[in-house]
Amino acid sequence: MDIEAGKDPPMRVSREEVDDDGRVRRTGNVLTATTHIITVVVGAGVLALAWAMSQLGWIAGIAVMLVFACISIYTYNLIADCYRYPDPVSGKRNYTYMQAVDAYLGGKMHVFCGLVLYGKLAGVTVGYTITSSTSLVAIKKAICFHNRGHAAYCKFSNNPYMVGFGIVQILLSQIPNFHKLTWLSTLAAATSFGYAFIGSGLSLAVVVSGKGRSTSIFGNKVGPELSEEEKVWRVFSALGNIALASSFATVIYDIMDTLKSYPPENKQMKKANVLGISAMTILFLLCGSLGYAAFGDHTPGNILTGFGFYEPFWLVAIGNVCIIIHMLGAYQVMAQPLFRIIEMGANIAWPRSDFINKEYPIKICSLRFNISFFRLIWRTIYVIVATIVAMAIPFFNEFLALLGAIGFWPLIVFFPIQMHIAQRQIRRLSLKWCALHVLSFACFLVSVSAAVGSVHGISKNVKKYRLFRYKQ
């Protein structure tokens, strides 16, 4: 905890094992950073992109994904340049996104950033709980449909599976910090490609067999089943789904904080940004396009859990197992920054408290680890609360869209642009200054539209849903 709080390391850590700022020496590289990005970005939201494509159509759907990818590469590179202050290569390190905002933009922006950033992180952990339970239920439904026929009644409660997922996360949450997550992140990244390719492969099989549904360059057609008003709401929600799929701003500085100091962190991170975002965009286009080509106007919200596919049931089940494994790792990648900021605050507020700062070594067979009572209790309470919230509002697409809307403009566009302007001292009302603000305003409109659309969808579902009794 002393190291996490920026204090001098304990005497048992030699000078050869620490960086220039006294923290434990970092060993990450472009490859490990790319792995972390893929773990966070290529989440189960990728399986909702076919639904988003069906709302937008071929032209707008592909264009929006490509535009979001280009914006993301540009603004994440701006964020990478702000990792150190004031010089991007030799300046003082900012260990969190909030610290960077505080250094470049001041206290008020620092508070606003904290509210958005950690609110988004908390929301994502809720979203991952919903996603994992949906996949667990989908496995049971796949077996049910296989044994009883596709017309059988196969609806099950998500709640037991959310509780089970929460129990596992309580155990994983005792991993001390982000630096210890590389093995879990690597496993999660591998499985993310697994379920994405399974979903794409099953969609491709439908298209090749000639059973694909009709599609449109403008998406779902307005008619008896879809009013003009509902079409607009769905388009807004689809923008939110794509925005969430492009986001890893919440953990970008935690990823950079794992990179070795040479070559400069910003140069390494820029390469990782290009590799990670390029990989995700190819995967997004693949999943979205094939899923839409397979199901057309009737594309389900999640192509693996919405039962566009029934057979081979075992492959559908394997795809959902991959989702669950990925959610186990991604949950921790997103939760650890939130855990760290609370624990750093507690350490600063009560530096002499044994309850908060003391760790007790424990050995079980050949496994050795340290237990902190504060970490054990508060992280357990957090996971329990997140699980209860997920049980109360278990709506996959709408919740993902809301998270995407909340984080896209402020974290991916607004703060990076403002920090870049401050760092480079760009003259007010100059051509570049105006261009950057036009980009920011356009993305603000996208975020607002997506938020309104997702809230509308959640409110519709809540009206026909009994609290804690949702079945799928």
Side-chain angles (χ1 to χ4, degrees), residues 80-351:
D81 281 336
C82 295
Y83 178 66
R84 289 183 179 269
Y85 174 86
D87 184 85
V89 175
S90 60
K92 181 180 178 182
R93 286 162 58 191
N94 292 303
Y95 303 110
T96 67
Y97 199 128
M98 284 179 64
Q99 283 184 1
V101 171
D102 188 32
Y104 284 99
L105 303 178
K108 291 182 180 179
M109 287 295 185
H110 172 256
V111 173
F112 175 45
C113 176
L115 292 174
V116 176
L117 180 64
Y118 292 106
K120 171 77 180 294
L121 285 172
V124 168
T125 59
V126 173
Y128 286 167
T129 304
I130 296 171
T131 302
S132 62
S133 69
T134 302
S135 291
L136 284 163
V137 170
I139 294 171
K140 192 169 183 178
K141 290 175 72 173
I143 297 171
C144 176
F145 285 131
H146 177 73
N147 293 332
R148 300 182 187 178
H150 298 174
Y153 180 83
C154 294
K155 286 187 177 291
F156 307 98
S157 173
N158 290 43
N159 293 347
Y161 301 101
M162 290 192 187
V163 171
F165 182 80
I167 291 171
V168 174
Q169 288 302 334
I170 288 174
L171 299 175
L172 291 177
S173 292
Q174 300 313 308
I175 295 173
N177 55 56
F178 201 88
H179 300 267
K180 306 298 183 183
L181 288 177
T182 298
W183 66 272
L184 189 60
S185 184
T186 303
L187 176 63
T191 56
S192 68
F193 280 103
Y195 65 71
F197 283 128
I198 287 173
S200 299
L202 290 171
S203 298
L204 179 62
V206 172
V207 175
V208 170
S209 67
K211 297 179 181 178
R213 305 288 183 88
S214 62
T215 60
S216 168
I217 60 173
F218 300 113
N220 290 358
K221 297 176 182 177
V222 174
E225 298 180 359
L226 182 66
S227 67
E228 291 184 2
E229 180 185 2
E230 189 61 27
K231 168 75 174 179
V232 173
W233 291 124
R234 289 190 181 187
V235 167
F236 288 167
S237 187
L239 292 174
N241 275 274
I242 297 174
L244 178 67
S246 306
S247 176
F248 62 96
T250 45
V251 295
I252 184 170
Y253 278 3
D254 295 274
I255 294 173
M256 290 190 71
D257 205 30
T258 67
L259 294 172
K260 55 189 176 184
S261 55
Y262 185 83
E265 298 93 346
N266 65 326
K267 292 184 178 180
Q268 295 182 73
M269 196 63 196
K270 286 178 180 180
K271 292 180 181 178
N273 287 339
V274 173
L275 291 173
I277 295 172
S278 297
M280 81 166 190
T281 304
I282 293 170
L283 199 61
F284 290 175
L285 290 170
L286 187 68
C287 289
S289 299
L290 288 175
Y292 181 39
F295 302 111
D297 289 352
H298 300 285
T299 302
N302 182 321
I303 58 176
L304 278 181
T305 64
F307 283 87
F309 312 107
Y310 291 95
E311 301 293 342
F313 81 99
W314 55 269
L315 189 57
V316 174
I318 289 174
N320 281 290
V321 168
C322 288
I323 293 175
I324 296 160
I325 294 173
H326 180 247
M327 291 299 100
L328 289 171
Y331 188 107
Q332 287 303 312
V333 171
M334 300 302 271
Q336 285 290 339
L338 179 62
F339 294 158
R340 185 179 72 168
I341 196 69
I342 297 298
E343 288 158 16
M344 285 177 63
N347 173 262
I348 293 170
W350 298 284

Side-chain angles (χ1 to χ4, degrees), residues 24-59:
V24 174
R25 184 173 296 279
R26 298 160 294 152
T27 58
N29 53 40
V30 173
L31 182 59
T32 59
T34 303
T35 301
H36 284 310
I37 291 172
I38 292 172
T39 301
V40 175
V41 173
V42 186
V46 70
L47 299 174
L49 293 177
W51 178 86
M53 182 78 82
S54 72
Q55 311 310 315
L56 297 170
W58 288 111
I59 295 177

